[in-house]
Amino acid sequence: MLITSARNDHVKAARLVREGKDRSLLFVEGERLVADCLASGLEVPMAFHLPESSPGGVALLEELRRRGALLLSTSPEVLATLSDTVTQQGIIVLARRREVAAAAFWENLPDCPLLVALDRVQDPGNLGTLLRTAEAAGAHGVITLAGTADPFSPKVLRAAMGSAFRLPLLTGLTASELLKAAAAHELRTYAAAGGASAGYRDMDWTGPALLLLGNEGRRLDPALLAACDFPVRIPISPAVESLNVAAAAAVLLFEAAH
């Protein structure tokens, strides 16, 4: 059966997921991201696809069918109304969101972890790029504080290119909860701060480390900055006011992980 109406109940339910109104599921679009989603072991109850798929799409549909997903053939016009991208990707799946409990997040860390905490980072592109960078640098997990964008929104998932499925994520902490946990796990806390006296290359990054990164415009919460062990700066040309938070994260994380 071909879905030809945007008022179809399944389509309306998927739209709620795309818009962030149903956070029990993830809205995953495009062959590459769907493949990453399946490789990560997420449960996928439903998939929308064009009547004719590419060879890669056919292979994905066969795997989804094997896993028991409901496959919904959808007209190009209806799939376009559901899509979150300018260019239609041909396949959209709804996957079960994998929530990590705080206790499990902390218990599963290695003896000498490298973690990142994000304070009110709101741009989805920045957040997704940052997640991808954190995984690439070898970070063991990312913590998002209250006020940070949803790391599982469609735009963040696309920018993260699969990293959001693989990287341990702990979401929604308050600043006080973060600081209490950092102390309990004997983490050295480092904060990116343009006015810091010490440069990032002057730091000893060995040992358990937590890197704090702040909002794109307002930067890190002053209370968090005051509580951190080591404020650090990235020396940049005087003509440039600041670095994008994702670019700053790349510089600091690869230095910390060296």
Side-chain angles (χ1 to χ4, degrees), residues 13 16-27 42-45 94-99 150 152:
L16 293 178
V17 178
R18 185 195 68 193
E19 295 170 355
K21 295 175 181 177
D22 177 358
R23 293 203 170 193
S24 67
L25 296 168
L26 305 180
F27 185 96
L42 291 182
E43 179 188 351
V44 178
L94 303 184
R96 298 283 180 205
R97 186 182 288 236
R98 182 183 291 157
E99 297 289 354
D150 179 7
F152 296 111

Side-chain angles (χ1 to χ4, degrees), residues 144-169:
T144 64
L145 299 185
T148 296
D150 179 7
F152 296 111
S153 72
K155 288 182 174 62
V156 174
L157 290 178
R158 288 199 301 276
M161 294 184 68
S163 292
F165 301 136
R166 298 182 294 266
L167 195 62
L169 297 173

Side-chain angles (χ1 to χ4, degrees), residues 116-117 119 189-196 198 200 205 210-215 218-221 224-225 228 230-234 243-245 247-253:
V116 186
D119 174 34
T189 53
Y190 302 80
Y200 73 98
W205 293 94
L210 172 64
L211 173 63
L212 307 174
L213 296 163
N215 175 277
R218 291 173 289 172
R219 302 185 183 179
L220 195 65
D221 183 333
L224 273 175
L225 181 58
C228 85
F230 304 106
V232 297
R233 63 181 172 83
I234 301 172
L243 285 177
N244 170 287
V245 66
V251 172
L252 297 173
L253 282 170

Side-chain angles (χ1 to χ4, degrees), residues 13-255:
R15 196 171 290 118
L16 293 178
V17 178
R18 185 195 68 193
E19 295 170 355
K21 295 175 181 177
D22 177 358
R23 293 203 170 193
S24 67
L25 296 168
L26 305 180
F27 185 96
V28 183
E29 183 170 7
E31 290 182 12
R32 168 69 184 275
L33 207 53
V34 170
D36 284 335
C37 173
L38 292 176
S40 73
L42 291 182
E43 179 188 351
V44 178
M46 188 180 302
F48 302 84
H49 63 94
L50 293 175
E52 296 184 3
S53 300
S54 68
V58 169
L60 287 173
L61 292 174
E62 289 176 354
E63 177 62 18
L64 286 162
R65 184 179 292 109
R66 188 187 70 79
R67 297 191 187 195
L70 175 63
L71 303 185
L72 300 169
S73 182
T74 310
S75 72
E77 295 77 17
V78 173
L79 200 64
T81 70
L82 188 55
S83 174
D84 193 60
T85 63
V86 175
T87 303
Q88 194 174 108
Q89 302 292 304
I91 185 169
I92 294 168
V93 305
L94 303 184
R96 298 283 180 205
R97 186 182 288 236
R98 182 183 291 157
E99 297 289 354
V100 178
F105 178 87
W106 296 110
E107 289 170 3
N108 291 326
L109 292 175
D111 292 336
C112 189
L114 172 60
L115 301 175
V116 186
L118 308 176
D119 174 34
R120 299 166 296 160
V121 174
Q122 296 170 344
D123 182 87
N126 282 345
L127 179 54
T129 302
L130 209 154
L131 294 177
R132 186 181 178 198
T133 299
E135 185 185 28
H140 300 101
V142 173
I143 302 161
T144 64
L145 299 185
T148 296
D150 179 7
F152 296 111
S153 72
K155 288 182 174 62
V156 174
L157 290 178
R158 288 199 301 276
M161 294 184 68
S163 292
F165 301 136
R166 298 182 294 266
L167 195 62
L169 297 173
L170 183 58
T171 63
L173 266 65
T174 65
S176 61
E177 288 170 337
L178 174 68
L179 293 172
K180 183 182 293 186
H185 292 84
E186 300 181 337
L187 300 175
R188 292 181 178 180
T189 53
Y190 302 80
S197 58
Y200 73 98
R201 287 177 175 160
D202 302 322
M203 290 290 107
D204 176 7
W205 293 94
T206 59
L210 172 64
L211 173 63
L212 307 174
L213 296 163
N215 175 277
E216 294 88 350
R218 291 173 289 172
R219 302 185 183 179
L220 195 65
D221 183 333
L224 273 175
L225 181 58
C228 85
D229 298 319
F230 304 106
V232 297
R233 63 181 172 83
I234 301 172
I236 58 177
S237 167
V240 178
E241 181 180 353
S242 63
L243 285 177
N244 170 287
V245 66
V251 172
L252 297 173
L253 282 170
F254 278 96
E255 178 68 17

